[in-house]
Amino acid sequence: QVQLVESGGGLVQAGGSLRLSCAASGSRVNINRMGWYRQAPGKQREVVATMTSGGGTSYADSVKGRFTISVDNAKNTVYLQMSSLKPEDTAVYYCNSDIISYPWGQGTQVTVSS
């Protein structure tokens, strides 16, 4: 069974930065095919960034140039570096595979104040 544990969220002022971490465990996990997703209050969960085998990445238009997804294979951990944060980035952030193959974790709350 794959388990995903997100961490690193918090309260930050607009323009600030945060780095989120996602520790993945389980024999089925492919740490090189992962993504970050977010769900704001009253909105559907949306994809933020994905990474595929071979190093390819893609980003939502709203975060391009501000967010970066990366992986540490030795630690089986995926990161989301977020900079120039905006109030509209406020959401619970989750990780999963690039095609949402695993059970969702608890997520980590990111709150950006104006």
Side-chain angles (χ1 to χ4, degrees):
Q1 181 75 335
V2 173
Q3 185 176 19
L4 304 171
V5 180
E6 301 92 345
S7 62
L11 173 63
V12 64
Q13 288 188 331
S17 299
L18 283 174
R19 189 177 79 155
L20 307 183
S21 300
C22 167
S25 61
S27 59
R28 292 196 304 113
V29 69
N30 183 344
I31 200 65
N32 292 296
R33 289 191 60 179
M34 294 294 289
W36 282 95
Y37 305 80
R38 68 186 181 187
Q39 186 167 20
K43 296 187 177 181
Q44 289 189 332
R45 195 170 303 186
E46 62 177 358
V47 60
V48 174
T50 58
M51 176 177 59
T52 57
S53 297
T57 57
S58 66
Y59 298 90
D61 288 343
S62 58
V63 307
K64 278 181 183 176
R66 301 188 298 120
F67 290 11
T68 303
I69 186 172
S70 62
V71 62
D72 185 330
N73 286 283
K75 295 182 178 180
N76 242 31
T77 298
V78 179
Y79 301 99
L80 185 68
Q81 179 67 48
M82 307 186 296
S83 60
S84 301
L85 283 162
K86 304 175 181 180
E88 50 263 44
D89 294 319
T90 294
V92 179
Y93 284 71
Y94 303 86
C95 64
N96 209 306
S97 77
D98 61 332
I99 55 172
I100 310 179
S101 306
Y102 312 133
W104 292 103
Q106 85 288 349
T108 186
Q109 175 72 49
V110 172
T111 303
V112 184
S113 63
S114 56

